[in-house]
Each structure stands twice: as structure tokens, then as C-alpha cells.
Amino acid sequence: MRKDQLISVIIPVYGVEKYLDRCIASICKQTYRNLEILLVDDGSKDSSGNICDKWANNDSRITVFHKNNGGLSSARNYGIARAKGDYVSFIDADDYVQENYIEYLYNLILKYSCDISICCYIKTANEYVHFGEDENLHEKILMSGKEACFYLLTEGYRYLITAWGKLYKKHLVSTYLFPEGRIHEDEATTYKYYYNAEKVV
């Protein structure tokens, strides 16, 4: 397995002008450089589309797509269909990530020969910071995809079901697209990624 594989980062964008610069900046600063950054403007009515175009002019790794509004699943699926990377990560436009986010998740995949790597999260609001569940759990949990499904269903940790906070082999997300027109779309999708993965870390 190569150590310089292309990774596609897909960011659905809709009405997030307040947060978008922070999100894109955190992705452009990643220590892992071989990225394609796909900004999918899902018919935003604020300045989000213009912000995407501005960033694309400053970083050749960024591609912007402007489409009619179809919802979060539609925007993610649109990005998946155009992603050229060997691996895919979804980042929500009102979130931001640490500079080593992609590199860390990718190195876990290389180290353990996994199909999916997962991390926890920190919840923030203004100056308030709160760690997500299991903030004290530093051990890496390695399991089969089916074991990951069992862990998800029995333990119920929220960060396991979300589409974000993970790095996936491209074939998994290409095979199981997000259901359009449904809320909590990741609840209908992420478990399929786990179930069909050889190993998860």
C-alpha cells in the first residue's frame, strides 16, 4: 500500500457562511498534502458559494461544484460520484479539524491494514469546549467490520454512527450511497460501511 495515496475530502455546503472559512482553512492546513478537496455548494442562498470560489482560486487542490439544493445526502452523493481519491473523508462545513487529522487517520489505516479509521470529537460553542464521549479512551480499538456493527448497536456511541470523523476506503462509500430526502441519513448508511469492511480501527 502506497504512503501517498490521494484522499478525497468531501464538504457539503449550505448556508454556512459564518463557519465556512474556518472549516476550509483547517483542511488546507493538513499535514497530509495529497488531497483533493471537493466543496459541494448545495444551492446556498447566502455567500457560501462565493466563499468556496474564493478558496478555489487560492488552492489548486480545491474543486467547487454548484448544484441545485437537494439536501445533505444529495450533496455528499454528488461529491462521491466525482471523487478520484483512494480514500474518502466527509467533513461538515460548520466543523473544523486538527492539522494532523487526515494524516493520523490514514496512518492508522496503513498500520493496521484497515478499511475504516475512526476518531472521537470535541464539541465547541463560542468559548465553550466539551469533549465527546470516551475522551479518556486512548487505546485504539481494532475489530472486524461485523464486530464494529455489534459495538455500534450495543454501545450506541454517537461518533460511531456519524458520517464525519472517519476515513473510508472509496469503494465502501461508492457502493452504499446516502438516502436522499431522509434526516439522520448516516444512521441508514454508516453501519453498511462497517459491515462490509474487513477491519476497523
Side-chain angles (χ1 to χ4, degrees):
M1 187 181 297
R2 301 197 323 269
K3 290 190 175 182
D4 61 344
Q5 291 174 297
L6 180 65
I7 294 177
S8 301
V9 180
I10 299 173
I11 306 97
V13 174
Y14 181 77
V16 285
E17 61 183 8
K18 181 178 177 181
Y19 310 103
L20 190 53
D21 278 321
R22 181 182 65 180
C23 174
I24 300 173
S26 75
I27 300 165
C28 290
K29 293 176 182 176
Q30 289 297 298
T31 54
Y32 190 90
R33 303 300 297 169
N34 193 21
L35 305 176
E36 66 163 4
I37 302 166
L38 307 180
L39 303 177
V40 184
D41 172 26
D42 192 40
S44 295
K45 296 178 181 178
D46 62 2
S47 64
S48 293
N50 292 331
I51 294 171
C52 289
D53 292 335
K54 178 196 73 175
W55 277 96
N57 289 331
N58 295 324
D59 194 318
S60 61
R61 298 172 299 171
I62 296 177
T63 303
V64 180
F65 301 99
H66 300 283
K67 61 182 286 295
N68 293 330
N69 180 255
L72 178 57
S73 291
S74 172
R76 283 193 183 135
N77 292 341
Y78 195 94
I80 291 168
R82 289 153 181 82
K84 300 181 178 69
D86 301 288
Y87 293 88
V88 170
S89 184
F90 302 107
I91 298 177
D92 288 354
D94 57 349
D95 293 340
Y96 60 102
V97 292
Q98 291 183 199
E99 291 184 7
N100 66 337
Y101 173 75
I102 294 293
E103 182 176 26
Y104 185 78
L105 289 177
Y106 183 58
N107 283 340
L108 287 177
I109 282 178
L110 292 180
K111 181 176 180 180
Y112 295 106
S113 298
C114 289
D115 297 325
I116 303 172
S117 57
I118 305 170
C119 68
C120 200
Y121 63 94
I122 299 172
K123 294 176 69 174
T124 66
N126 298 321
E127 299 303 316
Y128 171 75
V129 176
H130 173 69
F131 282 88
E133 299 165 74
D134 277 0
E135 66 267 25
N136 295 317
L137 181 60
H138 298 294
E139 287 187 30
K140 300 174 182 65
I141 300 170
L142 183 65
M143 52 194 140
S144 71
K146 293 178 178 60
E147 287 171 330
C149 277
F150 181 79
Y151 193 76
L152 167 67
L153 293 172
T154 57
E155 301 297 335
Y157 292 129
R158 284 194 298 272
Y159 67 85
L160 288 177
I161 197 62
T162 59
W164 45 261
K166 299 164 184 65
L167 185 62
Y168 310 90
K169 274 194 174 177
K170 169 75 179 307
H171 75 86
L172 290 172
V173 298
S174 297
T175 302
Y176 303 99
L177 298 176
F178 293 93
E180 299 187 15
R182 171 182 171 150
I183 61 171
H184 303 299
E185 74 296 329
D186 38 16
E187 292 180 1
T189 311
T190 313
Y191 76 92
K192 297 176 184 177
Y193 299 156
Y194 293 151
Y195 193 80
N196 289 280
E198 291 294 325
K199 283 193 290 186
V200 177
V201 62

